[in-house]
Amino acid sequence: MSYEYILTRTERRVGIAQLNRPKAYNALSPALMQELMDALEAFDADPAVGCLLVTGNEKAFSAGADIKSMAAAATPMAMLNSPLIAQWDRLAKIGKPVIAAVSGFALGGGCELAMACDMIVASESAKFGQPEINLGIIPGAGGTQRMTRAVGKALAMEIILNDRRLSAQEAKQAGLVNRIVPVETYLEEALVLASEIAARAPAAVRLAKEAINAVYEMPLQSGLAHESRLFYMLFSTEDQKEGMDAFINKRQANWKGI
Ligand code: DAK
């Protein structure tokens, strides 16, 4: 499959999607979002891929939704009916883990895209922010919700109401990102993390992601019951038998993904 606004490749069982509108700081046009979601869904369906990686370039992960195409949607109904909306919902349905490798600007929808991934590896130059207030709007793709859950109410208020930007260090301290790595190696470091996860038992990885994300959807007792059901379900897989046999016989497990 060839794309116009993203680059894709598979390496070490990792499906990599790179946003590729460098002149516009990888602004998320509807066409780019559609290609990105098409690519992520294709990786999700590919048994040769165990983990997904979304990245931009050194200067910008993404500066957010394409303001020029948003400005054209002059009414609420035009915005509601814009092709942009449906694209965002597709990301939450990806079953395999998705890692964002972020360098430079991650602003507005770019920050929301990174936060909608399961983990964030940030380069030392990464800058996170929700500057929508400068456009007379608020975040619309999860910024008020995911940012607040990640960094807490006090800091989220500053970020969203007053365009306070977080450096990589601040983002790490606030719990927004997993790790900070040098700019020169950020993609390789993210790829190493992704390939380690991609080498693990696929069904267990998938259900572990589902169980963790359920924290944000369910009260504790429901979450615990959900976790138990997923745990029991894994005893129907060959990989559970393989993993336990490998432990007992002191050998490397050979995961089959079934
Ligand atoms: N959209 C379109 N073009 C952009 C852009 C953007 N978000 N960001 C940068 N560009 C373009 C600039 O227009 C410029 O293009 P030319 O003039 O060369 O044609 C080029 O990229 C370089 O930008 P600058 O000249 O501004 O470069 P600087 O280095 O001076 O500044 C910057 C870089 C990233 C700090 C600055 O460009 C900037 O502040 N950009 C805007 C950041 C921003 O406000 N982001 C939030 C956008 S609103 C939703 C889904 C998503 C969203 C909402 C709802 N639903 C599902 C409901 C998301 C909304 C947003 O993200």
Side-chain angles (χ1 to χ4, degrees), residues 206-242:
R206 189 185 189 101
L207 297 192
K209 163 175 167 160
E210 182 183 328
I212 293 168
N213 284 334
V215 165
Y216 298 109
E217 313 291 340
M218 294 178 183
L220 181 61
Q221 285 309 321
S222 311
L224 291 171
H226 185 62
E227 179 192 81
S228 299
R229 284 192 290 273
L230 297 179
F231 174 79
Y232 300 141
M233 197 197 292
L234 285 168
F235 282 74
S236 68
T237 64
E238 285 190 22
D239 280 347
Q240 171 270 323
K241 283 148 194 78
E242 167 66 8

Side-chain angles (χ1 to χ4, degrees), residues 27-252:
L28 304 170
S29 63
L32 181 151
M33 282 300 289
Q34 175 152 10
E35 288 189 359
L36 178 62
M37 296 307 151
D38 287 352
L40 296 183
E41 285 173 1
F43 285 141
D44 205 28
D46 182 351
V49 168
C51 189
L52 280 51
L53 192 60
V54 178
T55 193
N57 56 53
E58 261 182 46
K59 282 178 80 177
F61 177 71
S62 168
D66 193 313
I67 298 170
K68 289 161 194 169
S69 42
M70 268 190 148
T75 67
M77 285 312 289
M79 195 60 223
L80 183 66
N81 292 326
S82 102
L84 192 67
I85 307 289
Q87 302 309 328
W88 284 85
D89 294 340
R90 295 168 69 188
L91 184 54
K93 298 194 178 78
I94 300 291
K96 291 171 187 168
V98 186
I99 297 177
V102 176
S103 188
F105 295 114
L107 300 178
C111 188
E112 290 169 309
L113 177 62
M115 291 192 295
C117 295
D118 301 304
M119 289 174 240
I120 301 177
V121 173
S123 90
E124 285 159 346
S125 78
K127 277 258 171 228
F128 297 87
Q130 299 288 162
E132 288 89 342
I133 201 82
N134 301 330
L135 303 169
I137 57 171
I138 66 170
T144 63
Q145 304 302 299
R146 291 201 177 92
M147 182 63 83
T148 307
R149 283 183 158 102
V151 308
K153 176 179 165 181
L155 189 51
M157 286 284 180
E158 278 195 64
I159 293 167
I160 295 165
L161 275 60
N162 201 29
D163 189 17
R164 160 96 143 80
R165 310 229 173 144
L166 298 185
S167 66
Q169 285 297 344
E170 289 172 316
K172 173 81 173 65
Q173 205 172 8
L176 188 66
V177 309
N178 289 70
R179 53 181 84 167
I180 307 173
V181 292
V183 180
E184 300 75 36
T185 57
Y186 82 98
L187 190 52
E188 173 58 22
E189 301 258 9
L191 187 51
V192 168
L193 174 63
S195 63
E196 285 172 4
I197 294 169
R200 297 188 181 279
V205 165
R206 189 185 189 101
L207 297 192
K209 163 175 167 160
E210 182 183 328
I212 293 168
N213 284 334
V215 165
Y216 298 109
E217 313 291 340
M218 294 178 183
L220 181 61
Q221 285 309 321
S222 311
L224 291 171
H226 185 62
E227 179 192 81
S228 299
R229 284 192 290 273
L230 297 179
F231 174 79
Y232 300 141
M233 197 197 292
L234 285 168
F235 282 74
S236 68
T237 64
E238 285 190 22
D239 280 347
Q240 171 270 323
K241 283 148 194 78
E242 167 66 8
M244 294 191 180
D245 185 72
F247 175 80
I248 291 163
N249 291 299
K250 302 187 186 304
R251 62 176 177 82
Q252 275 285 326

